[in-house]
Amino acid sequence: MSAARFRLKKVHWRGILRNATPSVFHQCHIGRPLRSSCNPRDLASGAFGAYGTILSVLLDELPDWLPAWCLDHLGGEPAGVLFQSRQVSMVFGLRLAGGRDVVVKARADDGRAASCVAAQARLAERGFACARPLTPVVGVGALAVHAEEYQPGGEVLHGDSPDIAVRCAEAYAGLTAELAGVTVAPPLPNPPWVRWDHTDSGVWPAIDFLDSRDQSVVSEHIVQTAERARERLLAAGLPCVLGHADFEAQNLRWQGWQVWAVHDWDSLAWQPEAALVGAASGSFASSGPPTLAPIESSEAFLVAYQDIRGRRFTVVELEMAWAASLWMAAYNAREMALCGGSPAGADALRAQAAERLRRANA
């Protein structure tokens, strides 16, 4: 297939007007939301709704440590709450005394955050379309906390057609090229949905709040697909690069053909380029519960990415890309099954697994 079949336009990262209509449904959707029924660990108090829902929160419902932290590191205490969301991180949109709007993120300190925020800061300094960190990562008990600019505006790009895939691939190619010029310590361990290189027993990385649930609800085809994809990924032995591992529609904002903002920098990973591209080719269309793009759209994504980057993947790299798309889809399908979430991703995986496994030589 040639990317010439699809409309190719240059994605613009810079020179974007910064006066878009504010909306709290933009930067607050940073990251991969954990279904509240599936995660027994609360990092802070607050109100949370269903998947992707942000509920209003009062000032006195903020965690006790947050006002003093804002005063010490941002020069003012919170005077209002724009939004609060629990995902992989706790995300607080705040209006400080004096009127400045900021976002504060707190996540369990597993050693990854400093590298992720440092990489985000490097790209923001170059004018890349992302929120600029306002502080480094600061330890607060068992949490790693930082603040960044509030960057509302833009729209989610919905759809999973080959045309949409090409636009997203162009954006991902630009993002990968920018990250290639960033030097930080590898953000390890990798996010669990791309942690096929774990050393835990079994096919899945050890995650207590998933492993403690009834595994019988996970279909055997999900487990078998993950096992075959993981075996192929581990056999490739390709070098790792820094890349974005949660490249989903919900984590990007657009203004027409222009990328307004890329969010979820906590999801940077250290994996082979082709594997990260393959994972993105399967997940790019997810704007809510995770799904798996059609095979023809993943193929369009991979072709367009290679065209933009000016380098063809080797046979092994292409196989790894297809395997990574399966691993991530299987991980998501397992999580959804264990948490009573949407079966759409598992249904798509069942329908596509045989062909994707064939292309992965798995």
Side-chain angles (χ1 to χ4, degrees):
M1 181 193 308
S2 169
R5 287 181 53 191
F6 307 103
R7 290 185 301 159
L8 287 174
K9 268 192 176 181
K10 182 176 178 60
V11 174
H12 298 284
W13 297 101
R14 300 181 177 85
I16 300 171
L17 295 175
R18 296 296 181 180
N19 59 353
T21 302
S23 168
V24 300
F25 293 103
H26 294 276
Q27 199 162 345
C28 59
H29 283 186
I30 302 167
R32 164 180 296 258
L34 295 174
R35 274 54 64 188
S36 58
S37 62
C38 195
N39 187 2
R41 298 172 297 173
D42 286 346
L43 294 180
S45 63
F48 309 99
Y51 192 104
T53 301
I54 309 302
L55 301 182
S56 60
V57 178
L58 301 176
L59 274 174
D60 58 8
E61 293 176 326
L62 294 174
D64 293 341
W65 57 265
L66 186 54
W69 190 93
C70 289
L71 181 62
D72 290 344
H73 297 280
L74 299 171
E77 292 189 354
V81 181
L82 304 175
F83 60 82
Q84 177 176 338
S85 176
R86 182 181 69 181
Q87 300 147 1
V88 174
S89 305
M90 291 290 297
V91 184
F92 306 94
L94 304 173
R95 177 157 295 160
L96 302 180
R100 181 164 62 145
D101 293 340
V102 301
V103 173
V104 177
K105 298 184 70 176
R107 75 290 270 167
D109 189 359
D110 59 3
R112 293 174 33 82
S115 291
C116 293
V117 172
Q120 179 183 353
R122 302 283 195 282
L123 265 61
E125 289 169 358
R126 300 175 186 172
F128 187 82
C130 64
R132 181 176 63 89
L134 300 172
T135 71
V137 173
V138 179
V140 179
L143 300 179
V145 182
H146 87 282
E148 61 187 41
E149 293 177 331
Y150 177 45
Q151 187 171 344
E155 301 296 333
V156 174
L157 180 64
H158 293 283
D160 63 3
S161 69
D163 279 341
I164 297 294
V166 168
R167 289 182 64 180
C168 292
E170 293 171 338
Y172 196 69
L175 171 55
T176 302
E178 293 283 352
L179 285 172
V182 173
T183 301
V184 295
L188 299 173
N190 283 309
W193 51 91
V194 292
R195 199 185 301 166
W196 51 76
D197 54 352
H198 66 85
T199 58
D200 303 316
S201 61
V203 64
W204 310 109
I207 303 173
D208 290 344
F209 76 86
L210 293 179
D211 298 341
S212 62
R213 302 176 80 84
D214 179 10
Q215 302 299 307
S216 68
V217 302
V218 182
S219 300
E220 187 61 25
H221 84 90
I222 295 174
V223 179
Q224 291 178 352
T225 298
E227 289 174 342
R228 292 172 64 180
R230 182 172 185 244
E231 182 178 359
R232 183 67 193 93
L233 287 161
L234 294 179
L238 298 177
C240 293
V241 301
L242 185 64
H244 199 295
D246 208 15
F247 194 77
E248 298 182 339
Q250 62 186 342
N251 289 329
L252 276 75
R253 296 296 180 270
W254 299 74
Q255 288 188 346
W257 280 93
Q258 296 179 326
V259 177
W260 167 258
V262 177
H263 296 305
D264 191 18
W265 294 91
D266 277 2
S267 291
L268 291 182
W270 186 250
Q271 290 287 17
E273 178 185 5
L276 292 168
V277 177
S281 78
S283 67
F284 72 87
S286 296
S287 57
T291 186
L292 179 62
I295 289 175
E296 60 269 23
S297 296
S298 290
E299 184 176 5
F301 189 109
L302 293 173
V303 170
Y305 178 91
Q306 294 170 81
D307 286 348
I308 295 297
R309 293 285 278 157
R311 182 180 76 83
R312 311 311 299 175
F313 284 163
T314 66
V315 171
V316 170
E317 285 177 311
L318 281 174
E319 292 174 354
M320 197 171 195
W322 288 106
S325 73
L326 281 167
W327 164 269
M328 187 171 182
Y331 178 95
N332 289 335
R334 178 200 183 221
E335 182 183 337
M336 288 284 97
L338 292 172
C339 298
S342 168
D347 292 344
L349 181 65
R350 184 187 295 275
Q352 299 181 32
E355 177 59 20
R356 287 180 181 265
L357 286 166
R358 184 191 70 79
R359 295 185 184 213
N361 193 24

XYZ file of all heavy atoms in Angstrom, residues 19-26 95 101 150-154:
116
model
N -5.355 31.431 21.617
C -6.543 32.041 22.223
C -7.779 31.191 21.990
O -8.869 31.687 21.791
C -6.766 33.451 21.678
C -6.954 33.448 20.177
O -6.791 32.422 19.532
N -7.297 34.600 19.623
N -7.595 29.856 22.003
C -8.737 28.980 21.792
C -9.708 29.074 22.957
O -9.349 29.445 24.061
C -8.262 27.537 21.642
N -10.959 28.725 22.686
C -11.966 28.750 23.742
C -11.602 27.755 24.824
O -11.407 26.575 24.553
C -13.339 28.380 23.156
O -13.640 29.305 22.122
C -14.412 28.432 24.231
N -11.504 28.179 26.080
C -11.137 27.263 27.144
C -12.205 26.198 27.350
O -13.381 26.427 27.166
C -11.015 28.171 28.377
C -10.826 29.546 27.833
C -11.602 29.573 26.553
N -11.754 25.039 27.750
C -12.662 23.957 28.121
C -11.939 23.041 29.067
O -10.827 22.615 28.804
C -13.104 23.170 26.887
O -13.738 21.980 27.273
N -12.576 22.705 30.184
C -11.911 21.825 31.134
C -11.866 20.396 30.631
O -11.217 19.547 31.229
C -12.608 21.850 32.512
C -12.597 23.225 33.079
C -14.034 21.299 32.427
N -12.528 20.090 29.527
C -12.506 18.729 29.021
C -11.330 18.505 28.078
O -11.384 17.639 27.217
C -13.829 18.400 28.311
C -14.982 18.347 29.255
C -15.875 19.393 29.326
C -15.148 17.271 30.095
C -16.928 19.346 30.215
C -16.206 17.218 30.990
C -17.096 18.270 31.044
N -10.280 19.257 28.242
C -9.109 19.081 27.402
C -7.955 18.577 28.235
O -7.683 17.390 28.277
C -8.790 20.379 26.667
C -9.860 20.740 25.682
N -9.897 20.232 24.413
C -10.972 21.510 25.802
C -10.971 20.684 23.765
N -11.630 21.461 24.593
N -7.192 27.454 39.907
C -6.997 28.897 39.766
C -6.380 29.394 41.059
O -6.974 29.279 42.134
C -8.316 29.600 39.479
C -8.191 31.120 39.389
C -9.327 31.696 38.572
N -9.255 31.249 37.190
C -10.284 31.269 36.330
N -11.467 31.722 36.732
N -10.126 30.850 35.087
N -4.102 30.293 36.175
C -4.606 28.932 36.069
C -3.442 27.976 35.829
O -2.596 28.212 34.951
C -5.605 28.799 34.927
C -6.882 29.583 35.177
O -7.163 29.910 36.350
O -7.599 29.884 34.195
N -1.719 25.543 32.280
C -3.044 25.094 31.857
C -3.202 25.442 30.385
O -3.106 26.607 29.999
C -4.114 25.782 32.703
C -5.539 25.449 32.314
C -5.929 24.139 32.057
C -6.489 26.458 32.233
C -7.237 23.843 31.719
C -7.807 26.169 31.901
C -8.177 24.856 31.639
O -9.478 24.563 31.303
N -3.409 24.447 29.540
C -3.476 24.660 28.098
C -4.791 24.106 27.554
O -4.846 23.003 27.017
C -2.287 23.996 27.390
C -2.221 24.346 25.912
C -0.930 23.861 25.275
O 0.022 23.543 25.963
N -0.898 23.799 23.958
N -5.870 24.869 27.688
C -7.153 24.414 27.160
C -7.245 24.649 25.664
O -6.349 25.236 25.051
C -8.157 25.282 27.916
C -7.419 26.577 28.090
C -5.967 26.191 28.312
N -8.353 24.229 25.073
C -8.599 24.504 23.668
C -8.336 23.314 22.774
O -7.783 22.298 23.185
N -8.732 23.446 21.516
C -8.584 22.372 20.558
C -9.692 21.348 20.680
O -10.495 21.374 21.603
